[in-house]
Amino acid sequence: MTQADTDPRATAANLEARFLERRAKVGVLGLGYVGLPLARGICHAGFTILGLDSDPEKVARLNGGRSYIGHIPDEDIGALVASGRFRATADVTEVSGLDAILICVPTPLTRNRAPDLSFVLGTGRSIAPHLRAGQLVVLESTTYPGTTMQELKPELEAGGLKSGVDFFLAYSPEREDPANPLHSGSTVPRVVGGDGAEATALACALYGQVTEKTVPVSSVDTAEAVKLAENVFRAVNIALVNELKVIYSRMGIDIWEVVEAASTKPFGYMPFYPGPGLGGHCIPIDPFYLTWKAREFEVPTRFIELAGEINATMPNYVVDRLALALNDRFAKGLKGSRILLLGFAYKKNIGDERESPAFKLVELLEGRGARVDYYDPYVPEVPVTREHAHLAGRTSVAWDEIFAGGYDAALICTDHDGVDYAALVEALPLVVDTRNATRDLRGGRDNIVMA
Ligand SMILES: NC(=O)c1ccc[n+]([C@@H]2O[C@H](COP(=O)([O-])OP(=O)(O)OC[C@H]3O[C@@H](n4cnc5c(N)ncnc54)[C@H](O)[C@@H]3O)[C@@H](O)[C@H]2O)c1
């Protein structure tokens, strides 16, 4: 690789023109829950897309026109491939042929709950030797302020090119909400912070072709901070409503009815809903990226930690409610009882089980001697996970098996649509509902306990 000898302003102008005319070749690196829909959206806007993923199985499936994400149908992937403007590869050397590289790799926590930047930094290291002058690189993965400038940029520049001179670097957080029918990538505004005004303008030029609105901010760190602010906001408000749930439940007041009525206030209130605990790749993880980074600045993060603590106790609360109901109604203990967990995914209508409270619920119930099966049409088999490897390989019972008798209670963990909750409540002596999935049922209410 050689240092660019071109005028950076001319390079930027050329790149901007390619974005505005949708002639650019865009690479999406990391084709998961974020990267795949992003690649689809950019391809629909008319760009040529190269999807890069280190998992050769995913690459083969995509090139064969098949999806591996439940809410993205095979037909969508087939249409992308048939358009001739989408191809997937595991070969990172191909980044040299791209105009823009959008990085959407995972940002999990380590076992000690510290940020694990190995995917981001590994990506930087692997693409650096193949960068060429005149490219835009954008990190989209959620992370703490300073990651792009202090961690990723040095990895990229180790290849010999300079950010702001030879290539352009920016951060733009992904705001994907999987399977949300109301908001898609094209309607959700894009926050953009670049390493220099040119990088910001270029990233806005690209995202402006695929979203209705771009929101440039003054720095890369600010853009990173925006994403964490959004997710901390959710975590804290969910904790608050979970705490209210516990208080109101003691008072005999239904939190769901309270939230619904409070939501009629046209200002100063926004509904958040209680549940059996946090799940997914964002809300249980991202706030701890900030608490970890804040330590470096000797700033306590009590509010965020407290929210984490309250949310983390929810599976215990839910299991206690179930145990109490079995005891009070049937003089039974959890030990030896047969419990059906309804829903394993962390949210409705998707097959993403990452960080789902279902894992914890199964462990708590079995730890107290219950025999647990689960039903989830979106998660036919529990995959291997780092934290809960011993649950891998368990399979969902078939819907009909639920009615063969023998279950003492069902615990609704995920409120998937399309489930016949009326039949469930009719067939089982006790249904513990953590999601208000049974709200519309008139009959059988005596069998339902909210938790
Ligand atoms: N899932 C969401 O709803 C969501 C929403 C907003 C933001 N985010 C953030 O987006 C990022 C990605 O999340 P996700 O849910 O899409 O993760 P994911 O695990 O679904 O997908 C990541 C993909 O990256 C691939 N990958 C890993 N290392 C790679 C490498 N070195 N080179 C190429 N590919 C590599 C993996 O094989 C996988 O396909 C995270 O930072 C997450 O916090 C996620």
Side-chain angles (χ1 to χ4, degrees):
M1 182 178 32
T2 55
Q3 188 86 13
D5 51 8
T6 47
D7 172 4
R9 259 165 304 178
T11 309
N14 177 36
L15 192 55
E16 185 173 30
R18 292 176 69 75
F19 292 151
L20 296 179
E21 292 159 18
R22 305 190 185 187
R23 287 184 289 117
K25 284 189 192 148
V26 180
V28 176
L29 202 151
L31 298 168
Y33 280 90
V34 161
L36 192 53
L38 176 72
R40 179 180 58 177
I42 301 176
C43 194
H44 283 167
F47 290 91
T48 301
I49 297 291
L50 181 68
L52 292 124
D53 201 286
S54 51
D55 182 345
E57 206 174 302
K58 285 184 178 169
V59 168
R61 284 183 74 118
L62 293 176
N63 287 332
R66 284 173 300 132
S67 174
Y68 40 76
I69 293 182
H71 58 278
I72 299 184
D74 284 349
E75 301 83 71
D76 279 25
I77 304 300
L80 292 185
V81 175
S83 74
R85 287 186 288 102
F86 174 85
R87 180 170 64 81
T89 180
D91 180 5
V92 79
T93 66
E94 291 203 44
V95 298
S96 59
L98 299 168
D99 295 299
I101 302 155
L102 313 180
I103 302 172
C104 311
V105 294
T107 44
L109 293 171
T110 65
R111 275 186 198 283
N112 302 328
R113 303 196 72 69
D116 175 1
L117 288 185
S118 58
F119 296 95
V120 171
L121 301 184
T123 298
R125 224 164 286 144
S126 67
I127 67 174
H130 312 291
L131 284 184
R132 60 167 177 77
Q135 289 179 312
L136 171 70
V137 180
V138 187
L139 179 64
E140 294 206 5
S141 305
T142 307
T143 187
Y144 57 77
T147 305
T148 308
M149 295 300 282
Q150 290 159 30
E151 313 280 352
L152 180 61
K153 182 173 157 174
E155 294 289 352
L156 297 173
E157 290 189 335
L161 299 184
K162 285 267 159 282
S163 170
V165 178
D166 306 306
F167 70 96
F168 304 95
L169 179 62
Y171 179 82
S172 179
E174 179 55 60
R175 288 165 152 177
E176 171 74 7
D177 185 12
N180 183 334
L182 300 177
H183 302 289
S184 69
S186 62
T187 57
V188 178
R190 265 274 171 186
V191 172
V192 174
D195 182 14
E198 271 170 341
T200 307
L202 282 169
C204 285
L206 172 57
Y207 289 115
Q209 305 310 306
V210 288
T211 54
E212 286 167 12
K213 187 175 178 191
T214 55
V215 183
V217 293
S218 61
S219 71
V220 179
D221 291 14
T222 303
E224 291 166 330
V226 168
K227 176 68 185 180
L228 287 188
E230 293 168 6
N231 285 0
V232 166
F233 176 80
R234 269 188 73 70
V236 166
N237 279 286
I238 291 169
L240 176 63
V241 79
N242 275 330
E243 186 169 275
L244 290 176
K245 169 179 80 171
V246 175
I247 300 167
Y248 287 154
S249 166
R250 284 278 175 88
M251 298 176 176
I253 297 166
D254 177 3
I255 183 67
W256 294 91
E257 192 182 352
V258 170
V259 172
E260 198 180 319
S263 302
T264 59
K265 186 179 177 188
F267 50 87
Y269 184 83
M270 180 186 285
F272 285 84
Y273 300 98
L278 296 181
H281 186 13
C282 297
I283 311 301
I285 292 174
D286 303 344
F288 299 104
Y289 267 63
L290 187 58
T291 55
W292 181 87
K293 188 67 179 172
R295 268 178 238 145
E296 188 183 314
F297 296 84
E298 298 180 21
V299 185
T301 49
R302 289 192 296 275
F303 214 73
I304 305 172
E305 301 278 2
L306 178 62
E309 208 178 295
I310 292 171
N311 288 326
T313 61
M314 277 306 117
N316 301 68
Y317 171 79
V318 163
V319 168
D320 283 348
R321 292 277 294 169
L322 170 55
L324 198 66
L326 281 174
N327 181 68
D328 287 355
R329 290 169 179 231
F330 311 116
K332 273 194 166 183
L334 273 176
K335 200 177 184 79
S337 290
R338 288 194 64 203
I339 309 296
L340 177 79
L341 188 76
L342 206 133
F344 209 99
Y346 85 87
K347 67 176 271 197
K348 61 153 70 178
N349 303 336
I350 64 168
D352 190 350
E353 79 307 311
R354 289 176 299 173
E355 309 286 329
S356 172
F359 287 104
K360 190 78 188 158
L361 291 171
V362 173
E363 287 168 357
L364 287 172
L365 289 167
E366 292 187 346
R368 290 170 69 167
R371 290 154 59 205
V372 183
D373 292 324
Y374 83 91
Y375 170 76
D376 193 325
Y378 293 87
V379 185
E381 182 173 339
V382 178
V384 178
T385 56
R386 193 173 59 180
E387 305 280 318
H388 312 277
H390 62 287
L391 297 180
R394 295 204 185 186
T395 52
S396 166
V397 297
W399 178 248
D400 291 345
E401 285 177 61
I402 297 172
F403 304 96
Y407 288 112
D408 296 294
L411 173 57
I412 300 176
C413 173
T414 323
D415 53 338
H416 290 310
D417 292 335
V419 171
D420 188 346
Y421 294 105
L424 187 78
V425 168
E426 199 177 311
L428 267 60
L430 174 65
V431 174
V432 175
D433 184 358
T434 69
R435 302 282 193 182
N436 208 19
T438 56
R439 65 188 155 272
D440 295 330
L441 301 188
R442 293 286 157 264
R445 291 236 61 102
D446 288 348
N447 290 3
I448 300 169
V449 168
M450 302 305 289

